[in-house]
Amino acid sequence: MAIIYLSRGRCGLSRCITYYLLMIVVNDFIVIITAVILNRIGGIYFRDSVLSTTPGCMVSTMLIYATRDGSVWLTVAFTIDRFIAISCQRLKSRYCTEKTAWLVIGSVTVMSCIKNVAFCFAYKPLYTLDGTPWFCDIKSAYYTSPVWQAYDWMDHILTPVLPFFLILLLNALTIRHIRTASRARRRLRGIDNCADHESANRRRSVVLLFTISMSFLFLWVTYVAHFLYVRITDKGYFTGLDFKNPDFIFQEVTNMFQLLSSCNNVFIYAVSQTKFQGELKTLLMCHYTTLTGCLRC
């Protein structure tokens, strides 16, 4: 629904913002397909499918990490765009354009794919049956090789440590600029209906930016904690299915929060908009009217 709504371009936002939001929603939708439907549900309930073979598992893992990184860094790119549009008026006309938006979106997508190709070489077959390699098991070299250790640290720093600090910093600066502008506006115009309306819009912007930062921190902090736990205890990442094992439960809770972060972006950026709610209500009422009309016939 969010993809259809943003694609129609009737959200009352500039094309630049719409492109960022649209690609965030598309990327998050791909995360749900690859990481939840194909990997989680398929891996548990359809264990004999082609996705359970080692090549299928490798490609699936690479796509999951690539789309995950794309989702996070597109959020960062959108945050940078909003910071420049609100706080850097001189740079706004040159940076906040459709061409720049598509260039940034394309660069983030390509770099996310290139960065995560290495995961295809981090796994080995769990076992081989009739010449067919099944499932993925992390190679022991992933924990002992300095190259793989450096790559693992880089992966976690790039997603989510660096994005979180960027989002937190830029949103804090944006909030400070909004509050400063609001105080200046009140001094110049006094308290009237127009000023109150403008202040209400600014307050909503502050709440939105604060929600983005806190949501990102809460949903990704367990991912960082699990990474540090693995590195400190030298237990390694859990690759099996043992629903009674505390390490498996910790890892899966981490993955659940990580995937919720992708779902959450859609609601924060798109579904929370009043126009989106209106469009959704209109569409549902249209289908409801059509359905009741058919039933009466």
Side-chain angles (χ1 to χ4, degrees), residues 181-198:
S182 296
R183 286 194 295 266
R185 186 181 181 88
R186 284 196 297 269
R187 286 195 300 265
L188 291 172
R189 304 189 62 173
I191 301 176
D192 53 29
N193 293 333
C194 182
D196 289 342
H197 177 69
E198 183 69 22

Side-chain angles (χ1 to χ4, degrees), residues 20 73-74 77-78 95 99-109:
Y20 280 116
W73 280 98
L74 283 174
F78 176 74
Y95 183 85
K99 182 180 179 180
T100 302
W102 281 119
L103 181 62
V104 171
I105 291 169
S107 300
V108 168
T109 303

Side-chain angles (χ1 to χ4, degrees), residues 173-223:
L173 293 174
T174 304
I175 290 173
R176 188 183 69 172
H177 179 84
I178 290 174
R179 291 177 64 87
T180 302
S182 296
R183 286 194 295 266
R185 186 181 181 88
R186 284 196 297 269
R187 286 195 300 265
L188 291 172
R189 304 189 62 173
I191 301 176
D192 53 29
N193 293 333
C194 182
D196 289 342
H197 177 69
E198 183 69 22
S199 298
N201 289 336
R202 294 180 185 274
R203 282 196 297 270
R204 281 195 292 268
S205 298
V206 170
V207 171
L208 177 62
L209 294 174
F210 180 80
T211 303
I212 292 167
S213 300
M214 291 302 101
S215 171
F216 193 90
L217 172 62
F218 175 75
L219 294 175
W220 279 93
V221 67
T222 53
Y223 182 80

Side-chain angles (χ1 to χ4, degrees), residues 19 31 38 43 91 94 106 113 115 141 146 154 189 198 218 225 240 250:
Y19 291 153
V31 170
L38 297 181
L91 189 59
R94 288 180 293 173
C113 293
K115 169 184 169 291
M154 180 197 70
R189 304 189 62 173
E198 183 69 22
F218 175 75
F250 184 23

